[in-house]
Amino acid sequence: MIPTPTPSKPALNTADHYAYIMGYPDGTVQPGGYITRAEASTIFFRLLTDKTREQYWATTNAYSDIKSGDWYNNAISTLSNAGIVSGYPDGTFRPNAAITRAEFAAIAARFDNDGDKTAAKFSDIANHWAKDEISIAYNNGWITGYPDGTFGPQRDITRAETMTLVNRVLNRQPETEDDLLPNMTVWTDNANPKAWYYLAVQEATNSHYYKFKTNSKYEKWTELRKARDWTLLEK
């Protein structure tokens, strides 16, 4: 009998630097705004390798508050099938609720289930349900806390924090403004290169080719590339 191949673990596309965050029609990207559970799921769905997306593809789920026609249905169904996202004990997913820092870190950590769970030294996670996932994300260098030693697991994550974390997961990190390109899209509310999130937002919102700088983890953009039409995955 031919053995059944073991399914591969869910994997993220770290090679292609497509924009995975879309701005708004008014020319803003709202870095200080919050992100919903549906939006977070859609980001990770877009960033799956094509092989992973095919392997775990699903258009149905057991959540009572997600319908087949919802724009986020395929993303949440597929990530649920892959074991990356989950709902609540009452059978809901709450797609339009803001996602917390703990929930977002947990999603990222599930792509590295074998990661280092040595407890992160945040003062407010010892009894938190996502302690192990937060610790994996911390030990991988994906997250940081606040100056007072807390992580703020129940705080809603901002769009700027989201892009910063995802870029670290994917190792998508320009070092300075000089590593970008002059003809890139710039947002009216992300026009200050000195803002702590400036580079992360530009990285997340511009599709580009790149090369790593010599002996460095940082990248330099070489050419802008055509954005991927993510709406095709929603059909």
Side-chain angles (χ1 to χ4, degrees):
M1 185 172 71
I2 299 175
T4 303
T6 303
S8 60
K9 294 179 181 179
L12 295 169
N13 181 359
T14 59
D16 297 305
H17 289 195
Y18 291 115
Y20 58 85
I21 291 279
M22 309 297 114
Y24 295 94
D26 65 357
T28 66
V29 72
Q30 298 179 22
Y34 296 110
I35 190 163
T36 67
R37 287 169 55 80
E39 290 170 335
S41 299
T42 300
I43 287 171
F44 282 101
F45 175 66
R46 290 170 177 171
L47 292 172
L48 295 173
T49 63
D50 289 339
K51 180 180 178 182
T52 290
R53 197 181 302 104
E54 276 177 36
Q55 180 178 339
Y56 293 99
W57 179 264
T59 57
T60 58
N61 59 75
Y63 305 119
S64 61
D65 54 352
I66 296 179
K67 304 185 296 294
S68 61
D70 292 332
W71 64 266
Y72 42 73
N73 173 69
N74 293 355
I76 292 172
S77 297
T78 299
L79 289 185
S80 295
N81 190 40
I84 299 297
V85 300
S86 58
Y88 295 94
D90 64 358
T92 64
F93 188 81
R94 303 177 199 171
N96 297 315
I99 192 167
T100 66
R101 284 165 56 84
E103 288 172 332
F104 202 92
I107 291 174
R110 288 175 191 141
F111 287 96
D112 185 24
N113 276 331
D114 299 323
D116 182 1
K117 296 179 182 176
T118 302
K121 300 196 183 312
F122 298 123
S123 62
D124 55 353
I125 68 166
N127 299 310
H128 197 279
W129 64 266
K131 178 184 72 172
D132 286 349
E133 290 91 343
I134 292 168
S135 296
I136 289 173
Y138 174 77
N139 291 325
N140 281 343
W142 297 343
I143 60 171
T144 57
Y146 296 101
D148 64 358
T150 64
F151 176 68
Q154 296 309 115
R155 293 175 63 163
D156 295 334
I157 195 169
T158 66
R159 288 167 62 84
E161 289 172 333
T162 294
M163 291 181 253
T164 300
L165 189 157
V166 170
N167 289 346
R168 287 173 180 161
V169 171
L170 299 173
N171 197 26
R172 290 177 55 163
Q173 298 184 80
E175 186 176 16
T176 70
E177 187 184 5
D178 292 339
D179 295 326
L180 310 180
L181 291 168
N183 54 336
M184 65 184 172
T185 298
V186 179
W187 311 94
T188 58
D189 54 354
N190 191 53
N192 177 13
K194 292 185 169 37
W196 69 264
Y197 48 76
Y198 175 80
L199 292 173
V201 171
Q202 292 308 109
E203 176 68 33
T205 58
N206 284 272
S207 297
H208 55 272
Y209 296 101
Y210 64 96
K211 63 181 180 181
F212 285 108
K213 298 198 284 189
T214 304
N215 298 322
S216 174
K217 67 177 181 180
Y218 295 107
E219 67 179 80
K220 186 175 183 65
W221 297 6
T222 57
E223 182 184 355
L224 295 181
R225 67 186 299 179
K226 184 178 178 182
R228 189 162 181 181
D229 184 359
W230 300 117
T231 62
L232 297 177
L233 300 175
E234 297 164 8
K235 297 175 181 176

